[in-house]
Amino acid sequence: MKKGKWIWYPGDLEIYLANRILFLRDYRGTIEPPFWKIDSPFCNVFFIKEVDLKNPEQIRVLSDAEISIIADCQKGVLACDGDGKYTLPAGKYTITITAYAKNTPVPTVRVDGGVVSDESWYVQLDRYRGESKNVGCSDGFQSPYKTIFKYKDVQPVCQERINGGILYDFGKESFGYIVFHDIAVPGSAQVFYGESREEALATEDCETYDKVVLKARQKQKIDHSRGLRYAYVKGDAEWASVSLSFEYLPLQKKGEFACSSELVNQIYSIAYYTFHLCSRETFLDGLKRDRWYWGGDAYQSFLYNYYTFFDRDICERTLWALRGKDPVTLHINHIMDYTFYWFISLSEYLLYIGNTNFLKNIWPRAITLMDYCLSLRNKEGFLEGRRKEDWVFLDWAPIDNTGVVCAEQLLFVKALRSMAELAVQFSDFERADFYKKEADTLLEKTLSVFYDAEKGVFWHNRVGGVINRVVTRYASVFAVNYKLLDEKECLHTVKSVLEDKDILPIVTPYAKFYEVVSLCEAGKLDEVCKILDDYWGGMIRLGATSFWELYDPAAADHLSMYDRPYGKSLCHAWGSSPLYILGRYFLGVVPLKAGYSYFRVSPKLGSFAYIRGTVPTPTGTIFVYRDSSTIEVENHTRTDGELVLDDGRKIPLGAGKKVKITL
Amino acid sequence: MKKGKWIWYPGDLEIYLANRILFLRDYRGTIEPPFWKIDSPFCNVFFIKEVDLKNPEQIRVLSDAEISIIADCQKGVLACDGDGKYTLPAGKYTITITAYAKNTPVPTVRVDGGVVSDESWYVQLDRYRGESKNVGCSDGFQSPYKTIFKYKDVQPVCQERINGGILYDFGKESFGYIVFHDIAVPGSAQVFYGESREEALATEDCETYDKVVLKARQKQKIDHSRGLRYAYVKGDAEWASVSLSFEYLPLQKKGEFACSSELVNQIYSIAYYTFHLCSRETFLDGLKRDRWYWGGDAYQSFLYNYYTFFDRDICERTLWALRGKDPVTLHINHIMDYTFYWFISLSEYLLYIGNTNFLKNIWPRAITLMDYCLSLRNKEGFLEGRRKEDWVFLDWAPIDNTGVVCAEQLLFVKALRSMAELAVQFSDFERADFYKKEADTLLEKTLSVFYDAEKGVFWHNRVGGVINRVVTRYASVFAVNYKLLDEKECLHTVKSVLEDKDILPIVTPYAKFYEVVSLCEAGKLDEVCKILDDYWGGMIRLGATSFWELYDPAAADHLSMYDRPYGKSLCHAWGSSPLYILGRYFLGVVPLKAGYSYFRVSPKLGSFAYIRGTVPTPTGTIFVYRDSSTIEVENHTRTDGELVLDDGRKIPLGAGKKVKITL
């Protein structure tokens, strides 16, 4: 029998997996559930496939749900031959498998046989409903209810007796479950976790701990996964040793980068590690605290992923989880900007990955989410945060985000344009036109209210009709990155705002990302090399083994945040933006058409003597090398591209071709 | 501590309870799941209450969900004092209880203390969302996850050895679980169920059976509830006796009726029993086969309930379950008429019960369901069934329901008017006006196309623009019952259609109901008395212990249906319409304003020498007696009403008043 793939109602398995981790957040023993609407999977679905069989054929159906099978060429349901096997009659007809999740969270099914379950099946919520969706499907799941993770045993690199306890150091940021070995004397134990040594030893202030009762046995694992480097263990039990059952998503490293700077190579390696740790059920913000999906953090993670793991499944899981189900009740994560990023992420997914089944399935939810945004506009067409329910985030900097915030309107413009691009992809030209027009109108209005063309700056916001004449960096970086100004204006605002040290600096790697991208877009790669050294290098010089949620070089304390001494996450996905910067702007690889069906390569050295790397695409990798005298590109994909030289010359990069240019 | 009430997200517990029974349907060992979209409860909700406490106060929180409590007067979550107890600080502030249903299907909570959970709490899906709903709440649940049913042991009235098995007869239609007692020899047993003796003995054709392995023990219960009168048991095990664990919803009989006809008293009693058996998680169609909620069957059950149990909870559970959640994907139960009945049921709920919290909570879903209907209209404004996905039912009679069916449009008119009445209740006059206008336009259009005023008939349908000049009873009865014609026209169509024996007769008690109501509305109670004798009396003369799904006096076989020899349900809720007819039209009690806040009593004798009975209301009962010379009415409610005599005279019936009139 041929083995089929697991299939499900698209979005439901993804949302279920994502929900599972949302509820694992705790703070010192107290559960901290998410504060937004959580959707549940449909419990009863119909999987449908047309078959045309010359002879009767036996299939085997695997499912945790209760199933019944109807072959519409005959009356009633198919009898089971036993052991999950059914005999399909010969003929051309439709099979419907009803799956009801009685004792399981999501109805999923796998069909093995001549007829097998795969992407070609449909799924419906109403058996007789004409409209149906492509099933959710992935090669990645062996069984949706087994874990998607892998494990390895990790030993502490050193241990130390302090104040009647033992401090175990696993050498670098890690994730998993503490395991006690050879427990000779049963009793209680408390495990205090720390991303820093200080945190683990601060038993009254560390963010997470576990209290367990150890029994006299060879091995006992704590049933709670934690982000940690250190574990400080106290208790009256006695054990021989402690290890970590390290849990990780088995992602394949497809993207590579190396250059003449050893520090940047180290930054790249730590960024890869940080990003891998935070890539789990979905892209997560960080390891220690929330472990939630957040639209802004995820927006950047999608981009990192396109230059590293190029994993389709985690992108789709994250896009589904962020979006949730209809009806829309609030912005994604309660944050207005995060809703906008979702649309932009979806259009970038189209460009980089472009899996049509997924896009078709999620498209209706993109439309309803945009309907929601459009319905909230004020009389002028601007979107403002409403009362306590909409959070306007942008960055963890002391900024006033009340009233009409300029940067938010620019993100809204880009979101509308993203929807227009997607609509074109679905040949829905009427809708594309509508979104395009709305974007143009909003952009014009925003510029007329907030943009000072002479100074090259944007005013931050307007409250009660009065412009708050404060300049921040956010609107400028969005205007540059999303090409909302012409080239000359872009360079002007980069100079007037980004290069003005007196303007409130950005403190999170998150917002730093947008700033660095702006500099890249403005061709200032030397400056970017300096920022890599200063900002990311700065964290390494302070001992970072993974990149942080926030790094203020001027700060005395690098552990506190949110008014808590160890509140800051020291392993935060958004710290990994060099992955994207180096792949997108130094190796210079970028898709120009949906699903990488056409791409451009324009490698840039910045301050490096050489760069070398590999960028993954859906059909293979692209190898790039450049030094002061040569450029080499190898197209190991099945699609065409072009190499663009510094002087604008274009050299075709046919599928399978290698090109070497002497400069 | 004062005991609170269980609270939940409105609709979710109701939908969960209803789903549970939907999936119990099987046909000879094969599960038959429902073929429409099934919604799941939200797993994470926020229960909210403003408190004002002079002193700190301890509360106890009961829940199967994982909870955390935030008192917004302080930072962080409340610490648990142990054993589910928490101490609320003094002051005026808001409590938020987050409940996450990790290992339980619906998050529900009960708070005991000085502060207790009750109808005054709110619930939200997003913690920071301004808009909130009244909680779902009921006195009826001791704990939502324990059964809502009660049990009693019932012994067979006789048993008989036949063909190597034993036939147990429980004497009348029953429901529950077969129990084996004193199993001396373990082994297998097969139980074949029958609503009739014939069915139980037809081991190859009976609709339901169970196969069990009996162990040597004192007692073994089959873990599957069944509707049955007979159980035929075969097997190689040996047992001493068999009983039935009878399962029922503990409803209080609040309505009563008696009259001079012993047959009608017997009909009333069997109708009550039939209706009670079919009133469970929701109002069900019947006991043996589907055990599902159906919009048409339920429409009548609501009305029966208002004159019998007057149970609020089962009405609300049924209305929620039928409606499900947004988005709307298809008509209720896939049946267009059933969607219309839902709106009418809701407006009748307003009149009879009128619980404001419930109505407020469900109102947004009524609007979206009506939006769905309005969006499906054709260019002329008519609603047609689309392809295979919309079923136009009306009745199990051989009628052509393709194209534009007149009766459906009349139901749509009444549904729109029902929505207008509800909108007025919510002071949404703009919407009320809109629905009213749409109803008037549709009625005018329908009459112009289908109504022949001269003949007093409606043509049944129009296919491809061509009127099908067939007259059926359905449009006429709706026109009369919902007063869509004037009084003279009503009497004309009653005479032309209802009293014309050549027009296709109605075969289900379901459609019979609408016909009898028409006769009542036309004042033809003598005729109705005759129908009671003939039609319902007919079933009793054939040995019915509960009323049937279908009764055709002319048929030779009363057990077959759906091409199966025992397909017909012999205990079907819609057989119980005498409960409504006798209460509404003979005792003559009817609410005129929301929640029975004003009512009318106009008792009628028909052919009876006397009638006597009680009708429940939200605030007490109304007693009515009439014979040829006197009328007595006792108003035991807390609201006013009026007694209307045959000559139109009105006599006030103040709260608590008794009136005796000599005719």
Side-chain angles (χ1 to χ4, degrees):
Chain A
M1 274 189 177
K2 223 178 94 194
K3 213 171 126 179
K5 299 178 185 179
W6 286 97
I7 56 175
W8 59 86
Y9 187 84
D12 270 12
L13 183 60
E14 293 86 345
I15 289 171
Y16 161 73
L17 280 170
N19 285 354
R20 231 170 31 175
I21 197 163
L22 281 186
F23 291 97
L24 291 182
R25 176 176 182 174
D26 75 358
Y27 172 69
R28 297 187 62 78
T30 307
I31 289 168
E32 295 210 349
F35 42 81
W36 55 78
K37 184 187 78 160
I38 302 298
D39 294 295
S40 306
F42 291 109
C43 62
N44 191 50
V45 301
F46 303 91
F47 296 107
I48 292 164
K49 172 75 181 173
E50 259 206 46
V51 297
D52 189 357
L53 300 176
K54 286 213 176 81
N55 302 302
E57 177 183 304
Q58 202 180 44
I59 55 171
R60 184 178 51 205
V61 182
L62 284 78
S63 182
D64 289 336
E66 304 215 356
I67 61 152
S68 66
I69 307 181
I70 295 163
D72 75 354
C73 58
Q74 58 176 43
K75 214 182 151 180
V77 300
L78 278 187
C80 184
D81 303 342
D83 200 23
K85 289 181 181 155
Y86 297 81
T87 302
L88 298 177
K92 187 175 177 175
Y93 56 89
T94 299
I95 311 171
T96 303
I97 303 184
T98 310
Y100 163 55
K102 188 181 179 182
N103 297 313
T104 197
V106 188
T108 59
V109 158
R110 196 183 95 196
V111 181
D112 298 346
V115 172
V116 295
S117 50
D118 60 21
E119 292 83 354
S120 69
W121 287 56
Y122 291 90
V123 61
Q124 299 183 179
L125 294 176
D126 293 281
R127 186 170 145 207
Y128 297 118
R129 182 166 165 75
E131 205 180 312
S132 52
K133 286 176 173 287
N134 297 96
V135 289
C137 180
S138 164
D139 304 316
F141 290 112
Q142 289 315 298
S143 157
Y145 297 107
K146 303 266 154 56
T147 177
I148 55 174
F149 300 115
K150 288 204 166 174
Y151 298 86
K152 59 182 175 195
D153 281 326
V154 172
Q155 304 303 321
V157 294
C158 65
Q159 63 183 71
E160 194 182 338
R161 289 200 171 266
I162 307 179
N163 286 342
I166 307 175
L167 179 70
Y168 297 94
D169 176 5
F170 291 93
K172 59 180 178 181
E173 180 77 26
S174 300
F175 187 88
Y177 307 82
I178 288 291
V179 186
F180 291 85
H181 298 271
D182 301 319
I183 302 158
V185 178
S188 68
Q190 297 112 51
V191 185
F192 303 94
Y193 301 95
E195 293 194 310
S196 62
R197 179 186 164 92
E198 293 88 330
E199 182 182 10
L201 293 173
T203 56
E204 297 299 313
D205 285 317
C206 64
E207 296 271 308
T208 55
Y209 62 68
D210 281 306
K211 298 190 173 180
V212 284
V213 174
L214 298 179
K215 294 179 183 167
R217 57 175 95 165
Q218 219 192 325
K219 205 171 163 179
Q220 185 169 340
K221 195 174 98 170
I222 293 185
D223 192 24
H224 206 157
S225 62
R226 299 290 183 184
L228 73 150
R229 171 174 167 176
Y230 299 89
Y232 178 54
V233 191
K234 291 182 107 162
D236 54 18
E238 285 177 25
W239 58 90
S241 65
V242 153
S243 70
L244 182 74
S245 174
F246 184 84
E247 185 182 81
Y248 66 103
L249 190 66
L251 293 169
Q252 209 187 322
K253 288 191 178 188
K254 294 176 189 155
E256 285 166 25
F257 178 85
C259 68
S260 51
S261 158
E262 265 322 297
L263 178 60
V264 170
N265 291 343
Q266 202 187 344
I267 289 171
Y268 183 78
S269 158
I270 290 177
Y272 224 136
Y273 184 63
T274 303
F275 180 50
H276 193 174
L277 285 175
C278 298
S279 299
R280 298 177 52 79
E281 288 86 347
T282 60
F283 294 124
L284 304 181
D285 61 335
L287 273 200
K288 176 171 74 174
R289 202 185 50 230
D290 306 8
R291 299 196 244 155
W292 287 353
Y293 47 82
W294 293 93
D297 309 52
Y299 170 71
Q300 299 186 4
S301 287
F302 290 118
L303 294 174
Y304 311 161
N305 176 57
Y306 299 142
Y307 290 89
T308 52
F309 304 114
F310 208 84
D311 190 68
R312 193 192 99 186
D313 285 354
I314 194 172
C315 292
E316 297 180 0
R317 291 201 298 271
T318 306
L319 286 164
W320 279 120
L322 285 166
R323 174 59 187 82
K325 293 185 163 195
D326 282 330
V328 182
T329 58
L330 269 186
H331 284 299
I332 286 174
N333 308 120
H334 278 218
I335 304 180
M336 200 159 80
D337 10 339
Y338 284 16
T339 297
F340 301 141
Y341 287 128
W342 187 86
F343 294 110
I344 309 172
S345 300
L346 196 62
S347 70
E348 285 168 348
Y349 169 96
L350 165 67
L351 212 51
Y352 281 90
I353 295 190
N355 170 25
T356 315
N357 269 7
F358 166 76
L359 284 164
K360 262 197 226 161
N361 283 334
I362 208 165
W363 176 237
R365 292 200 198 160
I367 293 171
T368 46
L369 183 60
M370 186 50 90
D371 287 345
Y372 176 77
C373 293
L374 292 169
S375 76
L376 293 178
R377 288 178 299 180
N378 69 15
K379 277 180 198 162
E380 290 176 292
F382 290 134
L383 257 180
E384 294 180 61
R386 294 161 302 159
R387 300 184 305 280
K388 62 176 180 180
E389 64 204 60
D390 298 328
W391 179 7
V392 173
F393 172 61
L394 290 179
D395 190 17
W396 285 124
I399 43 177
D400 171 22
N401 281 337
T402 56
V404 180
V405 176
C406 173
E408 295 287 319
Q409 313 314 313
L410 297 181
L411 281 175
F412 192 13
V413 169
K414 176 62 181 173
L416 284 160
R417 289 192 174 165
S418 298
M419 283 297 281
E421 283 162 29
L422 287 156
V424 166
Q425 192 64 20
F426 294 113
S427 304
D428 186 347
F429 300 109
E430 199 180 321
R431 201 169 244 124
D433 208 45
F434 167 73
Y435 291 134
K436 211 183 147 305
K437 275 187 192 144
E438 293 292 334
D440 292 347
T441 310
L442 177 62
L443 178 57
E444 199 181 322
K445 178 84 188 166
T446 306
L447 294 178
S448 78
V449 172
F450 293 98
Y451 182 53
D452 184 325
E454 205 174 307
K455 294 198 173 75
V457 302
F458 291 88
W459 308 117
H460 185 74
N461 61 339
R462 198 185 66 180
V463 182
V466 180
I467 289 284
N468 183 4
R469 295 178 82 83
V470 165
V471 176
T472 56
R473 293 164 186 264
Y474 310 100
S476 288
V477 298
F478 295 141
V480 172
N481 298 350
Y482 300 135
K483 307 203 185 322
L484 308 180
L485 295 175
D486 67 29
E487 211 180 320
K488 211 180 118 199
E489 290 169 327
C490 280
L491 290 173
H492 188 191
T493 199
V494 165
K495 197 172 157 49
S496 307
V497 179
L498 270 65
E499 298 181 353
D500 182 346
K501 306 278 182 223
D502 289 338
I503 290 174
L504 187 71
I506 277 167
V507 291
T508 56
Y510 169 67
K512 200 80 180 171
F513 169 86
Y514 300 112
E515 195 178 33
V516 173
V517 168
S518 290
L519 293 171
C520 291
E521 289 286 343
K524 297 176 180 287
L525 292 194
D526 291 342
E527 238 173 276
V528 171
C529 286
K530 198 172 168 323
I531 292 176
L532 286 172
D533 279 10
D534 289 351
Y535 192 83
W536 278 273
M539 287 189 260
I540 291 178
R541 286 186 288 274
L542 287 169
T545 62
S546 53
F547 290 125
W548 305 345
E549 183 174 16
L550 184 143
Y551 171 50
D552 180 357
D557 160 28
H558 294 289
L559 302 176
S560 69
M561 202 169 164
Y562 308 108
D563 291 329
R564 301 197 304 264
Y566 305 101
K568 191 161 81 180
S569 157
L570 297 187
C571 178
H572 226 66
W574 74 27
S576 306
S577 50
L579 299 171
Y580 174 69
I581 300 298
L582 295 168
R584 168 72 180 80
Y585 291 103
F586 286 81
L587 298 179
V589 178
V590 63
L592 299 182
K593 288 189 187 161
Y596 252 109
S597 54
Y598 193 76
F599 61 86
R600 192 181 63 211
V601 183
S602 49
K604 299 272 187 289
L605 277 177
S607 322
F608 304 129
Y610 74 88
I611 55 168
R612 183 179 59 228
T614 301
V615 174
T617 81
T619 66
T621 56
I622 300 160
F623 170 81
V624 179
Y625 174 84
R626 180 170 184 171
D627 58 26
S628 57
S629 59
T630 41
I631 293 178
E632 284 178 58
V633 182
E634 297 176 13
N635 178 1
H636 299 295
T637 78
R638 293 200 299 274
T639 58
D640 296 344
E642 62 189 29
L643 169 63
V644 179
L645 302 180
D646 296 351
D647 58 10
R649 261 191 304 155
K650 287 183 182 173
I651 291 147
L653 286 171
K657 289 281 180 307
K658 297 181 186 187
V659 170
K660 185 170 179 174
I661 305 285
T662 305
L663 300 168
Chain B
M1 276 188 174
K2 223 178 96 194
K3 211 170 127 180
K5 299 178 186 181
W6 286 97
I7 56 175
W8 60 86
Y9 186 85
D12 270 12
L13 182 62
E14 293 86 343
I15 289 172
Y16 161 73
L17 281 171
N19 284 354
R20 230 169 33 175
I21 196 163
L22 281 185
F23 290 97
L24 291 182
R25 176 176 181 173
D26 76 357
Y27 172 69
R28 297 188 62 80
T30 308
I31 289 167
E32 296 212 347
F35 42 82
W36 54 80
K37 184 187 77 160
I38 301 298
D39 294 295
S40 307
F42 291 109
C43 62
N44 191 49
V45 300
F46 303 92
F47 296 106
I48 291 163
K49 171 75 181 173
E50 259 206 46
V51 297
D52 189 358
L53 301 177
K54 287 215 176 81
N55 302 302
E57 176 182 306
Q58 200 178 46
I59 55 170
R60 184 177 53 205
V61 182
L62 284 78
S63 182
D64 289 338
E66 303 215 358
I67 62 153
S68 67
I69 307 181
I70 294 163
D72 75 355
C73 58
Q74 59 176 44
K75 214 181 151 181
V77 300
L78 277 188
C80 184
D81 302 342
D83 200 23
K85 289 181 181 156
Y86 298 81
T87 302
L88 298 176
K92 188 175 178 176
Y93 57 89
T94 299
I95 311 171
T96 303
I97 303 183
T98 309
Y100 164 55
K102 187 180 181 184
N103 297 313
T104 195
V106 188
T108 58
V109 157
R110 196 183 94 196
V111 180
D112 299 345
V115 172
V116 295
S117 50
D118 60 20
E119 292 84 355
S120 70
W121 286 56
Y122 290 91
V123 61
Q124 300 183 179
L125 294 176
D126 293 281
R127 186 170 145 206
Y128 298 118
R129 183 167 164 75
E131 204 179 312
S132 53
K133 286 175 173 286
N134 297 95
V135 289
C137 180
S138 164
D139 304 317
F141 290 110
Q142 289 315 297
S143 157
Y145 297 107
K146 303 266 154 58
T147 177
I148 54 174
F149 299 114
K150 289 206 165 170
Y151 298 86
K152 61 182 176 192
D153 281 324
V154 172
Q155 304 303 321
V157 294
C158 65
Q159 64 184 72
E160 192 181 341
R161 291 199 168 267
I162 307 180
N163 285 340
I166 306 173
L167 179 71
Y168 298 94
D169 177 6
F170 291 92
K172 60 180 177 180
E173 181 76 27
S174 299
F175 188 88
Y177 308 81
I178 288 291
V179 185
F180 291 86
H181 297 270
D182 301 318
I183 302 159
V185 177
S188 68
Q190 298 112 50
V191 185
F192 303 94
Y193 301 95
E195 293 194 310
S196 62
R197 179 186 165 92
E198 293 88 330
E199 182 182 11
L201 292 174
T203 57
E204 296 300 313
D205 286 315
C206 63
E207 296 271 309
T208 55
Y209 62 68
D210 281 306
K211 296 190 172 179
V212 284
V213 174
L214 298 179
K215 293 178 183 169
R217 58 175 92 166
Q218 219 192 325
K219 207 171 162 179
Q220 184 169 339
K221 195 174 98 170
I222 293 184
D223 191 25
H224 206 155
S225 61
R226 300 290 184 184
L228 73 151
R229 171 172 169 178
Y230 299 89
Y232 178 55
V233 190
K234 291 183 106 163
D236 53 19
E238 285 178 23
W239 57 91
S241 65
V242 153
S243 70
L244 181 75
S245 174
F246 185 84
E247 185 182 82
Y248 65 103
L249 189 68
L251 293 168
Q252 208 187 321
K253 289 192 179 187
K254 294 175 188 154
E256 285 165 26
F257 177 86
C259 69
S260 51
S261 158
E262 265 323 297
L263 178 61
V264 170
N265 291 342
Q266 201 186 346
I267 289 171
Y268 183 78
S269 157
I270 291 177
Y272 224 134
Y273 184 64
T274 303
F275 181 50
H276 193 175
L277 285 175
C278 299
S279 300
R280 298 176 52 80
E281 288 85 347
T282 61
F283 294 124
L284 304 181
D285 62 334
L287 272 201
K288 175 170 74 174
R289 203 184 50 228
D290 307 7
R291 300 196 244 156
W292 287 353
Y293 47 82
W294 294 93
D297 309 52
Y299 169 72
Q300 299 186 4
S301 286
F302 291 118
L303 294 173
Y304 310 162
N305 175 57
Y306 299 142
Y307 291 89
T308 52
F309 304 113
F310 207 84
D311 189 69
R312 193 191 99 186
D313 285 355
I314 194 171
C315 292
E316 297 180 0
R317 290 201 299 271
T318 307
L319 285 164
W320 279 120
L322 285 167
R323 174 59 186 82
K325 292 185 163 195
D326 282 331
V328 181
T329 57
L330 270 186
H331 284 298
I332 287 174
N333 308 119
H334 279 215
I335 303 179
M336 199 159 82
D337 10 338
Y338 284 17
T339 297
F340 302 140
Y341 286 127
W342 187 85
F343 295 109
I344 309 173
S345 300
L346 196 63
S347 70
E348 285 169 348
Y349 170 96
L350 165 68
L351 212 52
Y352 280 91
I353 294 189
N355 169 25
T356 315
N357 269 6
F358 166 76
L359 285 165
K360 262 197 224 161
N361 283 333
I362 208 164
W363 177 236
R365 293 201 197 159
I367 294 172
T368 45
L369 183 60
M370 185 51 90
D371 287 346
Y372 176 77
C373 293
L374 292 169
S375 76
L376 294 177
R377 288 177 298 180
N378 69 15
K379 279 181 196 160
E380 291 176 292
F382 290 133
L383 257 181
E384 294 180 62
R386 293 161 304 160
R387 303 182 306 277
K388 62 177 179 183
E389 63 204 64
D390 298 328
W391 178 6
V392 173
F393 172 60
L394 290 179
D395 190 17
W396 286 125
I399 43 177
D400 172 23
N401 281 339
T402 57
V404 180
V405 176
C406 173
E408 295 286 321
Q409 313 314 313
L410 297 181
L411 281 176
F412 192 13
V413 169
K414 176 63 181 172
L416 283 160
R417 290 193 173 164
S418 298
M419 283 297 281
E421 283 162 28
L422 287 156
V424 166
Q425 191 64 22
F426 294 112
S427 304
D428 186 347
F429 300 109
E430 199 180 320
R431 201 167 245 125
D433 208 45
F434 168 73
Y435 291 135
K436 211 184 148 303
K437 276 186 191 145
E438 292 294 333
D440 291 348
T441 309
L442 177 62
L443 178 56
E444 198 180 321
K445 177 83 188 166
T446 306
L447 294 179
S448 78
V449 172
F450 293 98
Y451 181 54
D452 184 326
E454 203 174 308
K455 293 198 175 75
V457 302
F458 292 89
W459 307 116
H460 184 74
N461 62 339
R462 197 185 65 178
V463 183
V466 180
I467 288 284
N468 183 5
R469 296 180 79 84
V470 165
V471 177
T472 56
R473 293 164 186 264
Y474 310 101
S476 289
V477 297
F478 296 141
V480 172
N481 297 352
Y482 300 135
K483 306 203 186 323
L484 308 179
L485 296 174
D486 67 27
E487 211 182 320
K488 210 180 119 197
E489 290 168 327
C490 281
L491 291 173
H492 188 189
T493 199
V494 165
K495 198 173 154 48
S496 306
V497 179
L498 272 65
E499 297 182 353
D500 181 346
K501 305 278 181 224
D502 289 338
I503 290 175
L504 187 71
I506 277 167
V507 292
T508 56
Y510 169 67
K512 200 82 182 169
F513 169 84
Y514 300 111
E515 195 178 35
V516 173
V517 168
S518 290
L519 293 171
C520 290
E521 288 288 341
K524 297 178 179 288
L525 293 192
D526 290 343
E527 239 172 276
V528 171
C529 287
K530 197 172 168 323
I531 292 175
L532 285 171
D533 279 10
D534 290 350
Y535 192 83
W536 278 271
M539 287 189 259
I540 291 178
R541 284 184 290 274
L542 287 169
T545 62
S546 54
F547 290 125
W548 305 345
E549 182 175 16
L550 184 144
Y551 171 50
D552 180 357
D557 160 29
H558 295 289
L559 302 177
S560 70
M561 204 170 163
Y562 309 107
D563 291 329
R564 301 198 303 265
Y566 305 101
K568 190 161 83 182
S569 158
L570 298 187
C571 178
H572 227 65
W574 74 26
S576 306
S577 49
L579 298 172
Y580 174 69
I581 301 298
L582 295 168
R584 167 73 180 79
Y585 291 103
F586 285 81
L587 297 180
V589 178
V590 63
L592 298 183
K593 288 187 186 164
Y596 253 110
S597 54
Y598 192 76
F599 62 86
R600 191 180 65 210
V601 182
S602 49
K604 299 274 186 287
L605 276 177
S607 321
F608 303 130
Y610 74 88
I611 55 168
R612 183 178 59 228
T614 301
V615 174
T617 83
T619 65
T621 55
I622 300 160
F623 170 81
V624 179
Y625 175 84
R626 179 171 185 171
D627 60 24
S628 57
S629 58
T630 41
I631 292 177
E632 285 178 56
V633 182
E634 297 176 12
N635 178 0
H636 300 295
T637 79
R638 293 201 299 275
T639 58
D640 296 344
E642 62 188 29
L643 169 62
V644 179
L645 301 181
D646 296 350
D647 58 10
R649 261 192 303 154
K650 287 181 184 174
I651 292 147
L653 285 171
K657 289 282 180 308
K658 299 181 184 186
V659 170
K660 185 170 179 173
I661 305 284
T662 305
L663 300 168

